[in-house]
Amino acid sequence: MKKLILLLLLSISVTTFAQKLERIEPMYWWVGMKNPKLQLLVHGDRIAELGVELNYPGVKLVGVNKVENPNYLFVDLEIAESAAAGKFPIAFTKGGKKVLQYTYELKNRTANASRKGVSSKDLIYLLMPDRFSNGDPKNDVIKGMQETKLNRDSMYYRHGGDLQGLINKLDYLKDLGVTAIWMTPEIENDMANASYHGYAATDHYKIDPRYGNLALYKSFVDKVHEKGMKVVKDIVHNHVGTGHWFYKDMPMKDWVNQWPVYTQTSYRDEPVMDPHASKADQKKMLDGWFVPSMPDLNQRNPYVQNYLTQNHIWWVEDAGIDGLRLDTYPYNDPEYMRDWAIKIKAEFPTLSVFGETLVNSAAAQAFFTGGNTVSRGFDTELPGVTDAVLKNAIYEALNGKSGWTDGIFRLYTTIAQDFLYQDAERNVIFMDNHDMSRFYSMVKEDFDKYKSGMALLLTLRGIPQMYYGTEILMKNYSDPDGLVRSDFPGGWPGDKADKFTAAGRTAQENEAWNFVKTLANYRKNSPALQGGKMMQYVPENGIYTYFRYLPEGGKTVMVIVNIEDQAKSLETSRFEERIGQASSATNVITKEKINTLKNIAVPAKTTLVLELN
């Protein structure tokens, strides 16, 4: 009888706890952080009616903040250097009596030395986890989530790809020459429609259960590292989904940017940098909502700032992530993003960070990068950006007709503007992504142009990024976006062809795959391509030539781009500064030996990648 009463009391206690204390975030933290401050978001029914008490050596309760919504408390802690890892109770009291209790844990940090960061030595492979490979059909549909339909025939529904599917294909990626993996966001997106893309978060601390769970995600990161590769996490500061738990019960009205009537962003980045811009245009760009289903977070709110920054630190520390990609960077509050970058770098000096900046000029891109190189007035502390301007220049080189500033000259002049950046090597260069028409379609399925484009991507300065399926000539246009987000063939049991294998690919697809593999794996062992200097020459006679080299010596790589429809003979005397004493070369792709460098035969619509001997 006594045991039964005890069990009933425990049951009542647990029930009360679940009803009153819904969550504390971050759920746990670490000792040894550079920033001793920690702000806990506490959410529960009328939780603001309760007091907070704790007693743990080295942990000071600095303050308990009540806000507009009585279902929230923001608890400020200070963790001393002397604090040891361990668990301690946080008591929630009323009238001097303990009503609820949460056991909080402080963990020991992982050594930062193990975090290599992503650099120009790497090749990033971008994929959408829902569309890459389905390794666990049991999680395709999760009971209780808003979107319950699985339909691979529709571009808008979920298709069932997941973390286990990606883990199963890590050897494929390693063999291809990939050294870093970037997934579109894998945190929970419990939205009724198009939840697969990941950019409408509904829980910042939870892996979407249709992909797996936190333990599986951490296992994924570990397995990637075991294979000598790295992980880039895609994070979104600017907005969340309307299904987010804190949007449904906001701490305060100004948790998101409010308007008298729904106001969408202008998508124009110019007012952010324009010295003549109106305040109204700036506000619409920064505070307007991205789309109606994605509320715009108010990053001037200090509670929002703390929540986001701590969440990103939590993920990097807990999972051992190597780099961060920042979605929709120009739409964020500039002062907050600078503060964010400083705090992230303090905790993770070797972590790589790059921001998505789909703007229209090199100067506009440089405006967002660190170093105050274009007299912005303050240093953004952002190391690099997604180099869309270079992407556009490569397309112009491949598809355009040469003029004073057109065709191949667009690529040359774009690279010539690298003086605008603190370090252009930290920019991520790419041909396409999940929001853009696929590369092979953009060159009208011209295979010679495809090979030239891939050669440029893997030999120019910067950090190359390839979109999944580019290596097997996947194609389509981004109108609508879903058309460029099709499944990787062979990622699902029963697929007609398995293009993860040579046997499942066509002859041309294998030629494309082998071209990428050869150059990507060569790049892994070429210090000149990984981080060497670049010297380019003014294009002449339809040919653009540049070199990647190390000032201290070593193998030099010569790249010759012929965009013309006819073969050319390149006379090389004007390249003496870089060719130096070299007398021969080896074609990196074909392994063919070129015995003299005085005149080099360059086939039509071809990019030669030559290692000088």
Side-chain angles (χ1 to χ4, degrees), residues 375-489:
S375 303
R376 178 170 183 173
F378 77 98
D379 189 342
T380 65
E381 302 286 345
L382 180 67
V385 294
T386 52
D387 201 337
V389 175
L390 182 59
K391 169 189 67 72
N392 295 340
I394 294 175
Y395 278 131
E396 174 63 21
L398 295 174
N399 295 329
K401 293 184 178 180
S402 288
W404 188 254
T405 59
D406 299 323
I408 198 70
F409 286 93
R410 178 82 59 83
L411 177 56
Y412 166 76
T413 56
T414 298
I415 294 289
Q417 295 174 74
D418 278 356
F419 65 88
L420 291 166
Y421 306 104
Q422 192 174 55
D423 184 0
E425 286 286 354
R426 298 196 292 244
N427 286 353
V428 172
I429 65 175
F430 64 106
M431 298 306 302
D432 56 1
N433 63 28
H434 54 289
D435 292 325
M436 300 176 180
S437 296
R438 282 190 172 270
F439 170 44
Y440 196 42
S441 293
M442 287 295 288
V443 293
K444 309 299 182 186
E445 299 180 35
D446 185 316
F447 193 54
D448 290 326
K449 288 183 179 181
Y450 167 86
K451 290 188 288 185
S452 280
M454 293 309 296
L456 288 165
L457 179 71
L458 292 168
T459 59
L460 284 168
R461 58 88 178 133
I463 308 169
Q465 170 250 298
M466 180 171 63
Y467 187 40
Y468 78 98
T470 299
E471 72 275 20
I472 57 166
L473 304 177
M474 284 177 68
K475 59 192 178 184
N476 228 319
Y477 295 93
S478 61
D479 189 16
D481 288 339
L483 293 174
V484 300
R485 301 170 180 178
S486 54
D487 297 340
F488 195 111

Side-chain angles (χ1 to χ4, degrees), residues 51-255:
V52 180
E53 296 179 3
L54 61 88
N55 184 11
Y56 187 75
V59 177
K60 180 182 179 182
L61 177 59
V62 177
V64 178
N65 305 287
K66 298 181 181 181
V67 292
E68 293 171 18
N69 187 337
N71 293 336
Y72 286 87
L73 287 175
F74 289 86
V75 179
D76 293 330
L77 305 181
E78 192 168 294
I79 304 169
E81 285 186 40
S82 60
K87 298 180 180 180
F88 59 92
I90 299 177
F92 296 86
T93 63
K94 190 168 188 178
K97 295 182 179 180
K98 182 169 66 177
V99 178
L100 304 170
Q101 181 173 296
Y102 183 91
T103 300
Y104 204 80
E105 183 177 6
L106 293 175
K107 301 185 177 188
N108 285 312
R109 295 193 67 181
T110 304
N112 258 321
S114 64
R115 188 174 288 104
K116 298 287 192 290
V118 178
S119 70
S120 57
K121 295 180 179 181
D122 291 299
L123 167 60
I124 301 173
Y125 191 90
L126 164 62
L127 62 92
M128 304 193 79
D130 182 62
R131 305 296 166 88
F132 191 64
S133 178
N134 187 352
D136 184 6
K138 294 191 298 295
N139 64 19
D140 288 353
V141 176
I142 300 295
K143 187 177 180 180
M145 300 195 78
Q146 289 197 62
E147 188 174 358
T148 58
K149 189 172 182 179
L150 193 76
N151 185 357
R152 291 183 65 200
D153 293 329
S154 169
M155 68 185 80
Y156 297 111
Y157 287 99
R158 296 191 78 93
H159 291 191
D162 50 35
L163 286 170
Q164 188 58 55
L166 176 53
I167 290 170
N168 294 346
K169 304 302 181 185
L170 291 181
D171 286 335
Y172 166 86
L173 296 177
K174 184 175 177 63
D175 188 35
L176 183 61
V178 170
T179 65
I181 299 169
W182 156 24
M183 280 188 287
T184 50
E186 63 292 298
I187 60 174
E188 184 193 84
N189 272 230
D190 190 11
M191 300 287 287
N193 299 300
S195 66
Y196 72 92
H197 59 67
Y199 291 97
T202 56
D203 191 325
H204 277 77
Y205 284 90
K206 184 180 181 181
I207 294 293
D208 196 298
R210 292 162 292 193
Y211 295 145
N213 54 33
L214 177 59
L216 185 61
Y217 180 74
K218 292 166 75 170
S219 175
F220 155 71
V221 175
D222 289 342
K223 291 179 187 299
V224 170
H225 289 164
E226 288 168 7
K227 294 183 182 295
M229 298 186 287
K230 303 168 186 177
V231 175
V232 175
K233 184 172 176 60
D234 198 337
I235 60 175
V236 186
H237 294 79
N238 184 67
H239 51 263
V240 296
T242 48
H244 201 293
W245 68 266
F246 65 46
Y247 180 71
K248 294 177 179 178
D249 187 30
M250 287 197 294
M252 57 206 75
K253 187 178 180 181
D254 71 348
W255 189 259

